[in-house]
Amino acid sequence: MVPLSIPMIDKPMAANALSPSPNNWLDTTQTCITSSPSLFEGKCMNSPSSELTRAVLHMLNDYFDTLDGADAHDIHNLIMNRVEKTLLEFILQRTEGNQTHAAKMLGINRNTLYSKIQRYQLDLSSSTVSS
């Protein structure tokens, strides 16, 4: 099993930080990305979601660089699994292993969370585990 080693963010996230609103950084970044001719011009790329966008684009560029002419395949699973595992690790560490609280934060059923923990072989022994 892989131990959790995601650094904690010192500032607590506001309860409405991910809710849709005109002032939400997700909405703002989406507008900037769709209106900008290039994602790498540095415009509008200063929010947490733009950092995620840059990381995904970097990963995709690395993936295509290593193909050496071979056909690309299963890109959706490659990205989604990497992002989902990181998200689960972070939230589980943030909730000190409390799966009920983590599932609520993620907006998924606790049994679904448990299945994902098993799929990604996440080790919860490094945090205080409670249900």
Side-chain angles (χ1 to χ4, degrees):
M1 296 224 167
V2 179
L4 298 178
S5 60
I6 304 297
M8 295 295 289
I9 296 175
D10 292 332
K11 298 177 184 175
M13 185 180 293
N16 64 351
L18 297 178
S19 62
S21 72
N23 299 323
N24 187 285
W25 53 260
L26 288 171
D27 298 335
T28 304
T29 300
Q30 183 61 39
T31 302
C32 292
I33 289 172
T34 56
S35 65
S36 176
S38 171
L39 293 177
F40 298 107
E41 288 182 8
K43 296 178 182 175
C44 304
M45 297 297 280
N46 57 0
S47 70
S49 73
S50 64
E51 291 176 29
L52 178 60
T53 299
R54 275 195 296 255
V56 170
L57 289 171
H58 180 75
M59 184 178 168
L60 284 168
N61 280 322
D62 286 350
Y63 174 75
F64 279 97
D65 287 346
T66 61
L67 287 178
D68 197 31
D71 288 338
H73 68 284
D74 209 18
I75 296 171
H76 182 266
N77 281 333
L78 173 74
I79 297 296
M80 298 311 290
N81 289 338
R82 186 80 54 93
V83 170
E84 183 174 54
K85 181 179 179 187
T86 303
L87 174 64
L88 294 173
E89 289 173 330
F90 179 84
I91 295 299
L92 285 164
Q93 185 175 21
R94 188 80 177 182
T95 62
E96 297 179 341
N98 184 317
Q99 293 178 37
T100 301
H101 189 205
K104 184 176 179 181
M105 287 178 73
L106 292 164
I108 61 176
N109 183 285
R110 188 180 175 283
N111 292 334
T112 302
L113 176 59
Y114 179 78
S115 296
K116 292 175 183 292
I117 290 168
Q118 298 304 305
R119 179 180 2 161
Y120 294 115
Q121 300 178 340
L122 301 179
D123 182 9
L124 300 178
S125 62
S126 63
S127 60
T128 307
V129 179
S130 59
S131 304

